[in-house]
Amino acid sequence: METSRWMEHELEAERARVLRLPEAEQERLVKELETDQLTGEDVLYRLYVIQPFLVHDRERYETVAERFLEVEGVEQVLALFLYELGERYPMKLALRSASPYLPYGLALRLDEIKQRMTVREQKTKPVQKRNAAHGTVTSETELMHVLRHGSWVEQMRHLTGMEFERTPALTEYITHKYLRAQDTEHQSLLVIDQLIGSMIEYLSYPTDIHVPHLDVDWTISSREELEEILLVHQQEQQALLASMHTLERMDPFRALLVLRSDQLIHLEERKAIGSDMEKWLLACDELAGLSFEKEEPERALSPLAKRLYQGVHILYPEVIAFEQIYFD
């Protein structure tokens, strides 16, 4: 794989080069945007690299950027520009609308800002009472209410990084109601993926999982089958950590697709796809530039890349909801 212009180092090197250009050449770069000579990803790239020499002409930059707000990522690039100027742009809104498919260099910059905000907010929040062994514990009553009536975001927030009391009533509800889309207003496949890993010893087998809004019917035949799926998943995560140098070279940075695979590919689909990380990386590289919003990809893909695309597409609405738990 060749190094992409969207790598963090390449992005910064190009910004430095553009900043050194003669004024007439810099003007030409802006004019090409103002006269609609660029489209798609080239718009996003140009808007980012011209930022340094337009820091003193905020109005012109905003005017140009707002011409292309329908292009994925432009809102985030505009947010970065105003953030660097110290403006009170609603950065949280920009972060919330950022998809996992932004070019890698921009995604890293946004993630850096997200981390700063998280640290700042944690310093201002009261300290929660925590169980020394398990962290925050969600009560049976609270969790059952959220699973029955809460939105995807509320359910995910209650389960992410939290323990819950596995009472008989809660176990009965999860295994016989929630997993089968009964007595719940907003069933989530992502939530199910999190629940079954915590409920493995409480499930009765075979366990049927029915998710009508995603057309998912999944039967886990035995505890051994589920344990095998979860073990393979754990091994994939370890292989992923060992492959970071490869991720850094992916073009043009759908590496985030792999990094977010816990949320993008549900467990049943992961089992079908397989766990060869090298093949995953190559397949994800094929997915560059695709939105995942359409049922069929915009171009021909290899069998594995198409399978990954379909897996991501299935969960796309829930993935967007999942991201909000970090930015609300």
Side-chain angles (χ1 to χ4, degrees):
M1 302 177 200
E2 296 181 1
T3 299
S4 164
R5 65 179 182 172
W6 285 110
M7 277 306 298
E8 187 178 25
H9 177 268
E10 279 68 25
L11 273 177
E12 295 310 310
E14 180 63 9
R15 293 180 85 183
R17 185 190 73 81
V18 168
L19 189 58
R20 295 192 299 268
L21 290 175
E23 187 174 338
E25 184 64 15
Q26 292 178 349
E27 178 65 17
R28 181 187 67 79
L29 297 178
V30 180
K31 282 290 187 184
E32 286 184 351
L33 286 169
E34 292 175 329
T35 54
D36 296 328
Q37 296 181 48
L38 300 177
T39 58
E41 191 180 88
D42 289 334
V43 167
L44 189 65
Y45 185 76
R46 180 65 59 83
L47 282 172
Y48 189 73
V49 299
I50 67 174
Q51 283 185 352
F53 68 78
L54 284 180
V55 291
H56 301 300
D57 197 348
R58 166 185 164 172
E59 184 175 350
R60 187 181 189 190
Y61 186 88
E62 285 187 86
T63 301
V64 173
E66 287 170 358
R67 293 167 58 89
F68 302 100
L69 287 178
E70 76 282 358
V71 176
E72 181 184 359
V74 166
E75 181 182 4
Q76 288 73 42
V77 172
L78 177 58
L80 288 172
F81 178 77
L82 298 178
Y83 184 84
E84 299 295 347
L85 293 178
E87 298 294 332
R88 290 180 174 271
Y89 184 87
M91 178 61 79
K92 283 190 177 182
L93 177 62
L95 287 168
R96 181 179 297 124
S97 61
S99 82
Y101 319 112
L102 275 177
Y104 191 59
L106 296 183
L108 285 179
R109 186 74 185 92
L110 284 166
D111 190 62
E112 177 187 334
I113 292 172
K114 180 187 74 175
Q115 296 300 329
R116 288 186 197 170
M117 286 186 167
T118 301
V119 171
R120 190 160 60 240
E121 288 173 358
Q122 286 176 344
K123 289 180 178 178
T124 61
K125 288 181 179 178
V127 177
Q128 296 180 331
K129 293 183 179 179
R130 291 181 176 268
N131 178 294
H134 300 292
T136 301
V137 177
T138 302
S139 70
E140 170 206 298
T141 303
E142 182 182 8
L143 184 55
M144 285 183 68
H145 177 79
V146 171
L147 291 176
R148 280 186 168 124
H149 307 292
S151 66
W152 288 341
V153 174
E154 290 169 328
Q155 293 178 46
M156 293 168 187
R157 182 181 293 115
H158 272 77
L159 286 171
T160 301
M162 293 186 180
E163 276 290 333
F164 56 89
E165 301 173 24
R166 293 163 183 77
T167 63
L170 179 60
T171 300
E172 173 75 14
Y173 168 73
I174 291 174
T175 56
H176 292 90
K177 299 291 186 180
Y178 191 86
L179 297 187
R180 300 174 184 177
Q182 298 176 19
D183 192 17
T184 176
E185 296 175 17
H186 304 286
Q187 185 199 34
S188 162
L189 186 54
L190 282 179
V191 167
I192 289 174
D193 274 0
Q194 294 185 66
L195 283 173
I196 60 174
S198 301
M199 298 289 295
I200 187 169
E201 62 184 280
Y202 300 92
L203 297 174
S204 57
Y205 300 93
T207 292
D208 294 322
I209 296 173
H210 180 50
V211 187
H213 73 278
L214 295 177
D215 195 26
V216 169
D217 287 289
W218 178 23
T219 298
I220 303 173
S221 60
S222 66
R223 175 170 177 166
E224 290 72 25
E225 179 188 357
L226 180 54
E227 287 177 339
E228 182 181 352
I229 292 171
L230 296 174
L231 177 60
V232 169
H233 185 197
Q234 181 182 2
Q235 292 170 341
E236 288 170 1
Q237 298 308 300
Q238 293 170 348
L240 177 60
L241 292 175
S243 302
M244 292 303 293
H245 64 286
T246 306
L247 290 177
E248 291 171 355
R249 296 173 55 210
M250 289 185 71
D251 180 20
F253 307 79
R254 270 42 186 189
L256 289 183
L257 172 67
V258 186
L259 291 172
R260 295 291 303 281
S261 61
D262 278 348
Q263 294 86 47
L264 294 172
I265 310 292
H266 74 90
L267 287 174
E268 181 191 22
E269 190 67 15
R270 294 176 73 89
K271 180 185 178 185
I273 288 172
S275 58
D276 188 320
M277 188 56 62
E278 184 176 350
K279 290 182 179 179
W280 270 64
L281 295 174
L282 291 170
C284 287
D285 205 34
E286 288 186 58
L287 302 177
L290 300 179
S291 69
F292 298 90
E293 295 176 354
K294 298 178 181 179
E295 187 171 347
E296 291 295 326
E298 297 95 309
R299 60 172 180 267
L301 299 172
S302 69
L304 177 56
K306 187 170 183 179
R307 193 73 186 255
L308 283 169
Y309 180 95
Q310 291 169 340
V312 173
H313 172 75
I314 287 172
L315 277 181
Y316 186 84
E318 293 191 23
V319 170
I320 300 306
F322 183 92
E323 291 179 348
Q324 293 183 29
I325 68 174
Y326 297 111
F327 309 130
D328 282 351

